[in-house]
Amino acid sequence: MTAKIIDGKEIAQQIRGELAAEIQHLKTRGIVPGLGVILVGEDPASRSYVTAKEKACHEIGIYSNDNRLPATTTQAELLALISAMNADPKINGILVQLPLPKHLNESEVLLAINPDKDVDGFHPLNVGRMVVGEKAFLPCTPHGVLQMMARSGVKIEGAHAVIVGRSNIVGKPLANLLMAKGKMANATVTVCHTKTKDIGYYTRQADIVIAAAGRPNTVTADMIKDGAVVIDVGVNRVEDATKKAGFRLVGDVDFEACKAKASLITPVPGGVGPMTITMLLYNTVESAKRANGL
Ligand code: NAP
């Protein structure tokens, strides 16, 4: 079997098109969704993520309030900016790019964001709401994974999904969403991590394997069953002298070998990555609608 590729760029474009149309409609009612973006420091990867997010906002008509702060920014200065954004009616979503420089207290910063503007879905109140099945901003990467499976016709209900990775931003929320009662859910979920004794024992039983470990070749072809759906969340830099940058990006899955065995598979790049930014845009539009009672 050769897997069909799930094209994250194409699905992301489709959703962004739907959002752009919705934003046009909101603008006729005087509503302009707004995202406040905060980047502290000069980390090159963070800068490129933030630039991509700002560009995506402009393309679909979201107002973005961009704040690039020096690495010397103090906790008090950062909290003051968040407080101003919490109070600004033009801003419906607040995004603080992580990781923050070491001298800043990340959890205090995330707690300072008004949960109603927490479009990353990292505030404990939103995490709690998600876990108990109440309306919440869903974290962008897990939500993107669900959307790309649903729009590719993957049957999640009744499936056994095995997730490799249990981080707070990917593995854990994804497990909660997949096991929830409802649409794009009702799966039986197993979560593996570094202390799991034999990861292959679990992944070989999986209808859906989701790799989110941050390590190349964590999932190899002998670890999946014929016809499995394979979703690769990982983004890893590996040295490549043939590339101008000196590296190329790979996921956590041995893509070529797994492609020969799976029914559906996501590539890296061009898989989950474009979906993550798209779901941030989605949450910002949702927040603008909620703020206006829609
Ligand atoms: P993280 O916080 O480092 O968590 C990694 C998780 O994977 C941990 O739970 C860890 O287990 C587990 N793990 C690591 N190596 C493992 C191994 N060899 N076998 C089994 N489990 C292993 O990473 P993250 O933030 O969740 O991100 C995971 C990957 O996804 C990274 O490559 C990241 O760049 C990528 N990512 C991509 C997007 C996107 O938009 N495409 C978004 C977010 C993250 P322990 O808990 O036992 O340590």
Side-chain angles (χ1 to χ4, degrees):
M1 177 177 269
T2 298
K4 191 169 168 278
I5 309 283
I6 301 180
D7 186 338
K9 272 193 206 157
E10 194 181 302
I11 298 171
Q13 270 317 111
Q14 193 184 17
I15 299 174
R16 288 182 198 194
E18 293 164 11
L19 289 173
E22 195 167 10
I23 291 166
Q24 280 313 313
H25 178 68
L26 289 173
K27 284 182 177 171
T28 64
R29 304 176 68 157
I31 300 165
V32 182
L35 179 69
V37 181
I38 303 176
L39 170 66
V40 186
E42 302 292 330
D43 176 64
S46 293
R47 279 174 67 153
S48 73
Y49 287 140
V50 162
T51 303
K53 287 167 185 173
E54 289 163 351
K55 186 165 165 271
C57 282
H58 296 145
E59 277 170 7
I60 67 163
I62 291 177
Y63 157 71
S64 92
N65 178 306
D66 308 330
N67 298 270
R68 311 233 171 177
L69 309 180
T72 51
T73 302
T74 64
Q75 183 82 1
E77 286 166 339
L78 184 52
L79 292 177
L81 178 58
I82 291 171
S83 169
M85 286 183 170
N86 281 340
D88 185 345
K90 291 202 297 299
I91 293 180
N92 304 107
I94 300 173
L95 166 88
V96 179
Q97 184 64 43
L98 302 179
L100 289 169
K102 294 239 171 325
H103 67 282
L104 297 171
N105 179 338
E106 208 162 273
S107 51
E108 190 187 21
V109 167
L110 295 181
L111 272 174
I113 296 173
N114 178 345
D116 293 336
K117 298 190 178 189
D118 168 41
V119 284
D120 260 335
F122 292 161
H123 192 289
L125 197 71
N126 278 314
V127 176
R129 283 179 180 152
M130 174 194 68
V131 171
V132 298
E134 279 178 19
K135 205 170 167 60
F137 290 119
L138 302 183
C140 301
T141 302
H143 191 193
V145 168
L146 293 189
Q147 282 290 338
M148 76 197 301
M149 287 201 287
R151 288 174 185 244
S152 305
V154 175
K155 194 170 183 300
I156 299 175
E157 182 163 316
H160 181 199
V162 175
I163 304 168
V164 185
R166 58 174 168 184
S167 74
N168 287 339
I169 63 166
V170 188
K172 241 185 249 174
L174 201 43
N176 272 292
L177 290 170
L178 284 167
M179 76 168 87
K181 271 191 181 178
K183 277 199 318 191
M184 295 192 293
N186 284 329
T188 301
V189 180
T190 301
V191 181
C192 300
H193 45 77
T194 56
K195 302 290 183 266
T196 303
K197 280 192 184 127
D198 178 2
I199 293 174
Y201 170 79
Y202 299 100
T203 53
R204 273 188 290 276
Q205 300 172 43
D207 304 303
I208 301 169
V209 177
I210 303 173
R215 201 193 65 147
N217 290 319
T218 301
V219 174
T220 50
D222 60 306
M223 292 170 70
I224 64 167
K225 72 176 181 187
D226 283 323
V229 173
V230 179
I231 307 288
D232 194 351
V233 181
V235 181
N236 308 291
R237 284 182 177 195
V238 293
E239 278 184 31
D240 186 342
T242 68
K243 301 281 177 198
K244 206 171 140 197
F247 67 86
R248 68 193 152 86
L249 295 181
V250 299
D252 290 351
V253 171
D254 179 355
F255 179 77
E256 288 304 329
C258 288
K259 196 175 85 173
K261 215 171 166 189
S263 57
L264 285 166
I265 191 165
T266 63
V268 177
V272 175
M275 295 298 295
T276 296
I277 296 185
T278 302
M279 302 328 292
L280 175 77
L281 305 175
Y282 175 93
N283 279 349
T284 305
V285 173
E286 272 301 301
S287 180
K289 284 167 36 186
R290 286 185 210 170
N292 288 280
L294 300 174

